[in-house]
Amino acid sequence: MTTVTVRASQTYDVTIGRGLLATVGRTAAACFRGRTAAIVSDTNVAPRYLEAVADSLKGEGFRVCSFVFPAGEEHKNGSTYLNLLEFLAQEHITRADGLIALGGGVVGDLTGFAAATFLRGIPFVQLPTTLLAAVDASVGGKTAIDLRGGKNLAGAFYQPKAVLCALDPLAPLPAETFADGCAEVIKYGMIGDAGLLNTLETIDLRADPEGVTARCIAHKRDLVEQDEFDTGARQLLNLGHTIGHGAEACSGYQISHGKAVAIGMTLVPRGAVAAGLCPPEVLPRLEALLARYHLPTATDYAAADLYEKTLSDKKRAGDTLSLVVPTAWGKSVLHPLPVGQLLPWIERGLGQ
Ligand code: GLY
């Protein structure tokens, strides 16, 4: 078992290890003053793990209720969010009670946003069940839902009271879902950990999920502690995301988040190589690493469509976009890019 402590506007532990689903009751008892815990989950995860989590909570004397919504990014929307708030009101949840986010990034983002806004804020615990949610989405307090205009456009910075990264649900993940998390792991390497990249080139990530997860979370902790509200260094975590979000939107959210990030992670450095900002040898090595983890390195979307969808990115300030650009193997920087230069950059990234 490994613990990483995050010291942001809330201080909390991220615990990584096996057997943690059975300990959620104890964690909730330490985090919630009240005696009701509402579990939020989706139709993929609830049939596997909800009962075990509910039993753990009941074992600590909690009244347990649960809200289960259809799985998929397309349900991380205003309608599911309002249904969840109405459910919490019907269950008479108070500020002393708390929410348990049991699932992947969609569940965590939605639950966190409900926790941030219901009664102007109630406590919540993250229980990620995918690699992607464990290494990224569950830590750092970004909560959100999607709007028709783009991904994560309504949300709040709201830290959880605790994060339990239970490794047991990661082993049976479908290969595609596991690959989504690998994209985020490779992202941490490209931001600033060449050693992690070198390791990923030789080991299978499934061989050491605890070590790799803890290493990624420690990187995220460092950036969140420097810049909780995402005005500077934390934006490095968006490597591959700015154009990746554009690719996700182009697909109507049918491309998974990890695959979209992988597309963004190769498209941006291709543009950077063409602009002389990144040595050319980084690119084939990165493409090979992504391919090793069954991730795409190209897209058929037209440059104009990607550009259009990328414009709604939250990191745009007026006419400037903060693009995360790799400048070496295991090193990336924030590169302010005038919006007028984005389309040519995407075109170069697509090899046009
Ligand atoms: N997922 C990026 C961040 O938390 O800042």
Side-chain angles (χ1 to χ4, degrees), residues 136 142 220 234 237:
D136 186 46
K142 277 192 181 174
K220 181 150 190 182
R234 183 173 181 165
L237 293 169

Side-chain angles (χ1 to χ4, degrees), residues 1-2 16-23 165-171 206-210:
M1 192 115 67
T2 310
I16 306 130
R18 298 198 184 279
L20 291 174
L21 291 180
T23 69
C165 290
L167 296 174
D168 316 73
L170 305 189
R206 284 189 191 258
D208 183 20
E210 182 167 335

Side-chain angles (χ1 to χ4, degrees), residues 255-306:
I255 296 183
S256 66
H257 181 64
K259 287 199 178 65
V261 167
I263 290 166
M265 248 193 302
T266 46
L267 199 148
V268 171
R270 241 176 254 134
V273 169
L277 296 168
C278 179
E281 61 273 17
V282 169
L283 200 49
R285 202 170 164 191
L286 175 60
E287 287 172 347
L289 185 58
L290 290 166
R292 179 177 160 84
Y293 287 95
H294 310 290
L295 290 159
T297 56
T299 177
D300 290 336
Y301 291 117
D305 293 338
L306 284 171

Side-chain angles (χ1 to χ4, degrees), residues 35-65:
R35 298 320 299 159
T36 300
I39 304 172
V40 182
S41 193
D42 69 21
T43 48
N44 281 345
V45 176
R48 280 170 178 263
Y49 304 115
L50 194 140
E51 196 179 326
V53 171
D55 286 349
S56 172
L57 290 160
K58 286 175 193 164
E60 291 291 326
F62 281 99
R63 177 178 83 87
V64 177
C65 55

Side-chain angles (χ1 to χ4, degrees), residues 136-137 139-142 184 187 220 224 230 234-235 237-238 241 257:
D136 186 46
V139 179
K142 277 192 181 174
E184 296 285 357
K187 173 194 83 175
K220 181 150 190 182
V224 168
D230 207 20
R234 183 173 181 165
Q235 294 186 7
L237 293 169
N238 287 305
H241 285 60
H257 181 64

Side-chain angles (χ1 to χ4, degrees), residues 3-351:
T3 300
V4 177
T5 301
V6 180
R7 291 183 177 80
S9 49
Q10 289 262 1
T11 294
Y12 56 96
D13 284 342
V14 183
T15 310
I16 306 130
R18 298 198 184 279
L20 291 174
L21 291 180
T23 69
V24 64
R26 220 179 319 134
T27 299
C31 294
F32 307 157
R33 287 181 293 118
R35 298 320 299 159
T36 300
I39 304 172
V40 182
S41 193
D42 69 21
T43 48
N44 281 345
V45 176
R48 280 170 178 263
Y49 304 115
L50 194 140
E51 196 179 326
V53 171
D55 286 349
S56 172
L57 290 160
K58 286 175 193 164
E60 291 291 326
F62 281 99
R63 177 178 83 87
V64 177
C65 55
S66 55
F67 178 89
V68 178
F69 64 96
E73 182 77 32
E74 65 272 32
H75 297 289
K76 199 179 93 178
N77 58 24
S79 155
T80 313
Y81 165 70
L82 286 178
N83 287 340
L84 173 52
L85 296 189
E86 293 291 357
F87 168 82
L88 299 175
Q90 275 161 21
E91 291 290 336
H92 306 292
I93 299 295
T94 71
R95 282 182 176 160
D97 302 316
L99 307 186
I100 307 286
L102 172 67
V106 168
V107 171
D109 285 2
L110 173 82
T111 309
F113 189 41
T117 48
F118 185 69
L119 307 181
R120 300 202 178 95
I122 62 172
F124 81 115
V125 169
Q126 290 272 20
L127 199 43
T129 58
T130 63
L131 179 63
L132 187 145
V135 296
D136 186 46
S138 64
V139 179
K142 277 192 181 174
T143 74
I145 56 171
D146 303 334
L147 300 182
R148 275 190 288 278
K151 193 175 157 82
N152 293 339
L153 290 190
F157 291 97
Y158 192 69
Q159 302 293 340
K161 291 282 181 197
V163 182
L164 296 177
C165 290
L167 296 174
D168 316 73
L170 305 189
L173 282 178
E176 292 229 330
T177 313
F178 194 78
D180 282 335
C182 296
E184 296 285 357
V185 173
I186 293 169
K187 173 194 83 175
Y188 284 105
M190 278 309 292
I191 290 172
D193 189 347
L196 176 61
L197 293 176
N198 299 344
T199 304
L200 294 173
E201 284 182 320
T202 50
I203 64 146
D204 181 343
L205 201 157
R206 284 189 191 258
D208 183 20
E210 182 167 335
V212 172
T213 302
R215 187 163 173 166
C216 293
I217 291 171
H219 284 308
K220 181 150 190 182
R221 182 262 329 268
D222 292 346
L223 290 168
V224 168
E225 287 185 353
Q226 272 181 65
D227 175 29
E228 178 175 357
F229 298 107
D230 207 20
T231 56
R234 183 173 181 165
Q235 294 186 7
L236 287 167
L237 293 169
N238 287 305
L239 173 62
H241 285 60
T242 305
I243 293 170
H245 284 169
E248 272 183 281
C250 283
S251 77
Y253 299 102
Q254 295 310 300
I255 296 183
S256 66
H257 181 64
K259 287 199 178 65
V261 167
I263 290 166
M265 248 193 302
T266 46
L267 199 148
V268 171
R270 241 176 254 134
V273 169
L277 296 168
C278 179
E281 61 273 17
V282 169
L283 200 49
R285 202 170 164 191
L286 175 60
E287 287 172 347
L289 185 58
L290 290 166
R292 179 177 160 84
Y293 287 95
H294 310 290
L295 290 159
T297 56
T299 177
D300 290 336
Y301 291 117
D305 293 338
L306 284 171
Y307 168 74
E308 192 58 39
K309 299 292 186 191
T310 300
L311 279 184
S312 62
D313 190 87
K314 293 180 294 308
K315 263 65 67 187
R316 181 156 74 93
D319 287 339
T320 305
L321 196 80
S322 183
L323 203 60
V324 189
V325 174
T327 53
W329 183 243
K331 181 168 168 42
S332 299
V333 299
L334 294 175
H335 181 78
L337 188 75
V339 168
Q341 292 176 24
L342 179 61
L343 182 59
W345 191 297
I346 293 175
E347 286 169 344
R348 287 196 302 271
L350 292 173

